[in-house]
Structures are given as structure tokens and as C-alpha cells.
């Protein structure tokens, strides 16, 4: 599997996947108009990734210290790289700009949907999955694209689980794009499918859990399944 993300087809599928997942999530939120606080967790997550990602251009040693290097991980015990590789970028200025812009949008929407605790947890799980697979595929590099795609498709998975008919229709292209990415040998698709499955699993678990703390916007994941036909 390739993790570089190069190619017109890859870029088009990324756009479809992000567009579909975000629209489905926004539709779910619009069906439950609840007071939403400032997305502190999303901002913190973005800054955590953005600061070292931008500093690496002035200080290349940051990238060398944090990126995914399969040989250093498996032969020299530098296991921290499985998590820190999400904090640096291997796609140059253009790739970094895309990754940070995508994360800014997805993280804010995800916090509205999942809440401030589950959003960074799902992001971290997808980052770890991407880098474990990257080591398995012997792919050196870094970046937050896999984790961002996984966070996005987790929302699509939740939409398929708990959304109404129109929400599910909006979410389906995200899963289809992930399958297409796998078919063309892009490893991001594997992580995106992992994110979708994680969204379904977490959605089922959160659906049986108590609501959020008083004074916080209640994530859709904690609410019962909804049929948007009732809104007519």
C-alpha cells in the first residue's frame, strides 16, 4: 500500500470523502439544534499538529526526530514515532497546507458531533492505526492526513448508524471513496475504513452511556437514532 497520496484520482477521492462526511455530520447537528460551546478541543488538536508541522520548515531536525521511520521503530525501539509522526508532514508546503486546512474543518465538526473528549481520542486512534500500518508496509513519512480522514469517516460511520435517510445518503460516498482508495492501493483508504468502523462501534457504545455533563452541548452520538422524516 502507498501512503504518499499522490495522483489526481487520490485527490478527488479525498475530496469526496471529506465532503461527504462533513455534510452528513452537519446534517445530523442541524436536526438537533443545541447550544454549542467554542470548540476548544478542536483548536487544541489543530495547534498540537500545526505548530511542529510549521516549525519543521525552519528546523528540519523536528521532522527527523518525529517522523515514521520503520527501521528506527522496529530495530531501535523508537516506538514513540507511531504517535509523533502525525505531528510532522512529508508533503511539502502544499501537502502541509491541505492537511492543516482539512484538520481545521474536520476537527471543529467532529467536536460538535462527538464532543471534546471523543474527538481527540478517535483522532489519536486513527493516527496510531495509520502509523502501525505504515510500518507494516515499510512506508517512511509523516502527516496527519490518515488520522484526519479516519476522524472524518468516523462521523460517516456514526451517520450510517444513527442518522435518518438523508443523512445516510450523504454519508455513503465517504465510505465508497474509502473503498475506492483501497482498490487503487492507497493506504489512506484502509485507515478511513477503520475510522468508519470505529465510528459505528463508538456510536453504539456512547448510545448506551449517560449524557454529557450539564452545561455542555450534548454530542449527537449520545442521542437516540433519528429519523429525519419527522422534521417534515
Amino acid at each position: 500500500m502507498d501512503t504518499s497520496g499522490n495522483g489526481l484520482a487520490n485527490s478527488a477521492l479525498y475530496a469526496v470523502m471529506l465532503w461527504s462526511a462533513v455534510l452528513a455530520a452537519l446534517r445530523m447537528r442541524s436536526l438537533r439544534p443545541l447550544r454549542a460551546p467554542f470548540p476548544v478541543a478542536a483548536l487544541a488538536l489543530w495547534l498540537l499538529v500545526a505548530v511542529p508541522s510549521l516549525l519543521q520548515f525552519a528546523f528540519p531536525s523536528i521532522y527527523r526526530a518525529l517522523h515514521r521511520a520503520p527501521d528506527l521503530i522496529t530495530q531501535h525501539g523508537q516506538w514513540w514515532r507511531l504517535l509523533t509522526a502525525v505531528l510532522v508532514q512529508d508533503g511539502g508546503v502544499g501537502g502541509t497546507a491541505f492537511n492543516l486546512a482539512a484538520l481545521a474543518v474536520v476537527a471543529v465538526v467532529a467536536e460538535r458531533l462527538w464532543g471534546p473528549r471523543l474527538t481527540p481520542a478517535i483522532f489519536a486512534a486513527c493516527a496510531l492505526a495509520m502509523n502501525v500500518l505504515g510500518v507494516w508496509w515499510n512506508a517512511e513519512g509523516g502527516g496527519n492526513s490518515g488520522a484526519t480522514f479516519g476522524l472524518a469517516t468516523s462521523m460517516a460511520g456514526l451517520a450510517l448508524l444513527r442518522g435518518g435517510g438523508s443523512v445516510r445518503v450523504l454519508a455513503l460516498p465517504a465510505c465508497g471513496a474509502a473503498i475506492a482508495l483501497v482498490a487503487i492501493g492507497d493506504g489512506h483508504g484502509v485507515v478511513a475504513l477503520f475510522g468508519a468502523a470505529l465510528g459505528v462501534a463508538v456510536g453504539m457504545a456512547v448510545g448506551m452511556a449517560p449524557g454529557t455533563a450539564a452545561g455542555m452541548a450534548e454530542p449527537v452520538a449520545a442521542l437516540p437514532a433519528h429519523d429525519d422524516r419527522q422534521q417534515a
Side-chain angles (χ1 to χ4, degrees):
M1 284 286 181
D2 179 57
T3 62
S4 66
N6 295 326
L8 182 60
N10 306 66
S11 299
L13 289 169
Y14 297 157
V16 169
M17 187 163 55
L18 293 172
W19 169 83
S20 169
V22 168
L23 283 185
L26 290 174
R27 176 62 176 158
M28 289 188 78
R29 281 308 307 184
S30 71
L31 294 175
R32 289 168 173 38
L34 299 170
R35 181 172 62 87
F38 183 81
V40 175
L43 176 60
L45 181 61
W46 187 85
L47 289 173
L48 179 66
V49 174
V51 171
S53 293
L54 296 174
L55 285 176
Q56 75 175 49
F57 292 106
F59 305 100
S61 59
I62 294 177
Y63 178 83
R64 293 193 295 270
L66 302 180
H67 80 291
R68 182 180 63 246
D71 289 345
L72 294 178
I73 292 171
T74 59
Q75 299 179 21
H76 297 275
Q78 296 184 15
W79 298 101
W80 69 81
R81 293 177 182 270
L82 293 174
L83 285 175
T84 60
V86 77
L87 305 178
V88 291
Q89 312 291 332
D90 63 3
V93 174
T96 300
F98 171 82
N99 284 351
L100 294 181
L103 178 59
V105 174
V106 171
V108 169
V109 177
E111 184 170 350
R112 295 286 186 255
L113 199 67
W114 287 117
R117 295 181 181 179
L118 285 174
T119 295
I122 292 172
F123 180 86
C126 293
L128 181 61
M130 181 71 193
N131 289 313
V132 168
L133 289 170
V135 171
W136 177 262
W137 298 325
N138 197 33
E140 186 170 352
N144 63 283
S145 55
T148 300
F149 295 154
L151 180 59
T153 53
S154 76
M155 299 189 293
L158 180 65
L160 292 174
L161 174 70
R162 309 185 73 78
S166 65
V167 172
R168 288 172 177 161
V169 169
L170 287 171
L172 280 173
C175 298
I179 294 171
L181 285 168
V182 174
I184 64 174
D186 189 328
H188 293 94
V190 179
V191 180
L193 290 176
F194 169 79
L198 187 59
V200 171
V202 175
M204 292 176 66
V206 172
M208 297 180 288
T212 54
M216 297 291 288
E218 188 176 13
V220 170
L223 298 173
H226 180 82
D227 185 350
D228 56 10
R229 290 175 296 182
Q230 298 173 2
Q231 294 291 318

